Amino acid sequence: MPAVTVSFEVLPGGLPDKATTYAAVDAAIAVVAESGLTYRVCPMETTIEGDYDAIMAVIKRAQEAVLAAGASRVFTLIKIDYDPNGSSIAEKLAKYE
C-alpha cells in the first residue's frame, strides 16, 4: 500500500482544566514524534504520513498516552487520504510554503 496521509485529533475527556488537557494532548504528540514517521502538528490536529497500519498503531498509542495522562476517556477524530499513487504532507502544502 502506498503512503497515506492521516490527520487526527484527540480530545481528552474528564480533565479538570485547560492546562491538564493540553498536557494530555502533549503526551499524544510525543508519541507521534517518537514514531519516526513524517508529521506536522497544527492547532487543531496532527497530520502523519506513512504506512496505514503504522499510522493506526501510532494513533492507538497516542490514545493510550492521553489516558495515561489522566483523562477518563478520549475521543478521536480521524481523516484519511488514501490515494493509490501515494499521498504526502509536502504535496498538499507546497504551494503555501
Side-chain angles (χ1 to χ4, degrees):
M1 176 181 243
V4 299
T5 306
V6 177
S7 292
F8 80 105
E9 177 181 356
V10 292
L11 304 166
L15 296 173
D17 55 37
K18 188 185 282 190
T20 309
T21 300
Y22 284 178
V25 171
D26 287 343
I29 293 170
V31 168
V32 174
E34 293 165 4
S35 73
L37 295 172
T38 299
Y39 71 97
R40 183 171 189 138
V41 175
C42 299
M44 301 297 291
E45 65 189 10
T46 298
T47 302
I48 310 172
E49 70 180 62
D51 174 74
Y52 178 87
D53 291 333
I55 292 171
M56 291 300 120
V58 169
I59 292 173
K60 180 180 179 181
R61 290 194 308 273
Q63 292 172 310
E64 291 166 346
V66 169
L67 295 173
S72 60
R73 64 193 306 172
V74 58
F75 302 91
T76 305
L77 305 172
I78 301 173
K79 296 184 280 188
I80 302 168
D81 177 9
Y82 170 69
D83 179 340
N85 297 310
S87 176
S88 73
I89 296 168
E91 116 190 50
K92 290 173 176 46
L93 296 177
K95 72 179 182 179
Y96 302 108
E97 294 182 334

